[in-house]
Amino acid sequence: MNEKQRLESTQVESSDKKSSKDYSQYFQAVYQPPSLKDAKKRGKEEVNYLEGEFSIPDDMLEIGKGKKFLIRTYGCQMNEHDTEIMAGIFMQMGYEPTDKAENADIVLLNTCAIRENAENKVFGEIGHLKPLKIKNPDLLIGVCGCMSQEESVVNKILQKHPFIDMIFGTHNIHRLPHIVKEAMFSKEMVIEVWSKEGDIIENLPKVRKGDIKGWVNIMYGCDKFCTYCIVPYTRGKERSRRPEDIIEEVRHLARQGYKEITLLGQNVNAYGKDFADTKYGLGDLMEELRKIDIPRIRFTTSHPRDFDDHLIDVLAKGGNLMEHIHLPVQSGSSAVLKLMARKYTRESYLELVRKMKERIPNASFTTDIIVGFPNETDEQFEETLSLYREVEFDSAYTFIYSPREGTPAAGMVDNISMEVKKERLQRLNAVVNELSAKKNLAYQDQIVEVLVEGESKNNPEVLAGYTSKNKLVNFKGPKSAIGQIVKVKITQAKTWSLDGEMIEEAVEVN
Ligand code: SAH
Ligand code: SF4
Ligand code: F3S
């Protein structure tokens, strides 16, 4: 099924709750450009939770009738989940999905600001859309997501790409109907970016990307302010959703037949720290979620600093809590970690991993690493390599440091050339590949449980899915296995994936 067919066959998920809460304040016009300086502020004010039913104003309900929308997504899982929400809102406005920009009446670019190359991709796409806009002036083009939160990006679009119709940010996606209506009738570019985060709005409609695995936001924003990172500016302060809302959403997905959920947050271990009235953390939440009848629960992303013993104890109980921990380390050098303001050392990271391995012996570990942080020395880089080997990660996302305007690290003098940084990335990737291959080799002739997601990307004759430890497995099996957890015998271990043969259908879990 292609993306279009899938979306067409999907029901928009909306809440069963009814309430008289008034959402009209969310549909009032404002012109607001972004400010990273304002976005940096962290206030003590309490988070408001809007729990009522989200409804689209009557005059916007049919605005998309007979029209098509396309959203291109460039960022992380949270960004993708925002796309699912915006797709839900579009469909409630009467729009139909399309996967071709040529057929669309509205195209949104849901952007990512994490590194310069992510931003360049978006500017490239804006360039590609220009001829379409010239051919069809009624086409509406919007830029949303994390890049919209940066004033430099908004200014660049205003100056160089004035044909863009609307720009809005990460805090006001629920205002999509209003923004679209404004853009339809306005001759000016509609810019509405809130630099300060808004309320937590429950019950927004969603069209999920699949019906096997689902994402569930548990918190928004980040207060860690790692010196290289733009996220605390683009996503605002840490705000946790109420446990009862999360539990209800997971139950709802379980009832719908979803087999796996991934709890999302930039720093899920800080979950609950912002609750003024109760002491409740990720460990407590996982303890409740593990009782729900859903086969697999994952979470991402963990910050080593906030990974507490209670959470480790809960994860050690296993069951539907998957034994895979993504624990970004960024660097193996305590001096670099200090400059990054990660607030842990090489030693404390290693100690945390040791503790986890002791209590969750089957756990697999993956990580994120940045090479070429300003003035990183060869010795410091070597420390990253040695830490990688010491932990024996299963795999890693590796990046060359990219200066982000407005962050402290962007102001640091950097004497390391790009050539050296590229060479370090290559050396690191060689170690990552070597260990990944070694780890995978241990699976040879083993039997693993795979949640079958569908046909393999490269070969429709083969099925693909992931093990509990998040290993990609390609294997021959009947299409009826899609959406099931099946047993597969590994016949060949490759560097990045495993090949196998299905030996048993529908494993009973829990
Ligand atoms: N909240 C997550 C990370 C989100 S961003 C965490 O703290 O783990 C995903 C990854 O992008 C980060 O872990 C980091 O490795 C990388 N990253 C973030 N900012 C970057 C930058 N300016 N340059 C290069 N990589 C960066
Ligand atoms: Fe960025 Fe650090 Fe927050 Fe992760 S924890 S989003 S790297 S500031
Ligand atoms: Fe990118 Fe924003 Fe996610 S910067 S990584 S889309 S939070």
Side-chain angles (χ1 to χ4, degrees), residues 114 221-232 266-267 301 303 330 342:
I114 202 84
C222 179
D223 288 347
K224 281 281 180 281
F225 286 100
C226 303
T227 53
Y228 50 81
C229 184
I230 195 75
V231 172
Q266 283 300 344
N267 172 13
T301 299
H303 191 292
Q330 313 300 358
R342 290 289 288 181

Side-chain angles (χ1 to χ4, degrees), residues 199-385:
D199 301 330
I200 290 191
I201 305 190
E202 292 295 338
N203 306 318
L204 290 171
K206 294 172 193 104
V207 176
R208 293 185 190 268
K209 205 172 158 196
D211 50 14
I212 301 169
K213 302 208 293 191
W215 285 310
V216 174
N217 272 330
I218 65 166
M219 62 179 302
Y220 304 95
C222 179
D223 288 347
K224 281 281 180 281
F225 286 100
C226 303
T227 53
Y228 50 81
C229 184
I230 195 75
V231 172
Y233 307 80
T234 64
R235 293 272 165 180
K237 78 168 181 180
E238 287 175 356
R239 289 103 67 212
S240 303
R241 285 179 73 198
R242 292 258 148 211
E244 52 274 23
D245 292 325
I246 298 167
I247 293 165
E248 183 45 43
E249 186 173 347
V250 174
R251 284 212 182 106
H252 175 77
L253 291 173
R255 283 196 295 271
Q256 303 244 303
Y258 279 79
K259 296 291 190 305
E260 178 175 306
I261 59 129
T262 301
L263 308 176
L264 292 183
Q266 283 300 344
N267 172 13
V268 287
N269 305 76
Y271 175 75
K273 286 197 165 179
D274 53 320
F275 293 150
D277 49 349
T278 152
K279 210 175 159 320
Y280 189 95
L282 184 61
D284 302 301
L285 180 67
M286 298 292 268
E287 181 70 66
E288 290 195 61
L289 292 177
R290 63 186 285 275
K291 295 175 196 146
I292 297 178
D293 188 16
I294 193 150
R296 290 181 167 193
I297 300 178
R298 300 183 189 278
F299 58 97
T300 197
T301 299
S302 285
H303 191 292
R305 170 87 186 179
D306 298 318
F307 216 112
D308 61 35
D309 284 353
H310 180 43
L311 177 59
I312 300 176
D313 288 340
V314 174
L315 291 177
K317 295 181 184 176
N320 56 1
L321 307 181
M322 294 296 99
E323 63 254 279
H324 166 229
I325 296 166
H326 184 65
L327 195 64
V329 66
Q330 313 300 358
S331 167
S333 151
S334 293
V336 173
L337 289 170
K338 190 154 189 218
L339 287 174
M340 289 176 163
R342 290 289 288 181
K343 299 187 179 76
Y344 55 84
T345 60
R346 173 191 178 92
E347 291 70 32
S348 64
Y349 184 94
L350 286 171
E351 171 55 23
L352 178 64
V353 171
R354 191 201 55 74
K355 198 157 68 178
M356 288 185 195
K357 284 185 172 172
E358 192 181 281
R359 295 210 220 155
I360 320 167
N362 286 327
S364 70
F365 290 85
T366 56
T367 196
D368 293 350
I369 294 174
I370 297 176
V371 302
F373 189 76
N375 296 322
E376 180 190 54
T377 64
D378 268 330
E379 293 72 34
Q380 289 167 338
F381 170 66
E382 293 287 342
E383 286 187 85
T384 297
L385 294 182

Side-chain angles (χ1 to χ4, degrees), residues 53 116 121 124 192 263 268 270 294 318 341 371 374 396-397 412 443 475 502 509:
E53 190 197 16
E116 194 183 352
K121 266 191 222 156
E192 193 189 301
L263 308 176
V268 287
I294 193 150
V371 302
Y397 295 107
M412 295 178 189
Y443 284 92
F475 63 99
M502 189 170 125
V509 183

Side-chain angles (χ1 to χ4, degrees), residues 26-37:
Y26 290 102
F27 295 105
Q28 281 156 20
V30 254
Y31 171 87
Q32 279 172 315
S35 153
L36 282 187
K37 220 167 132 205

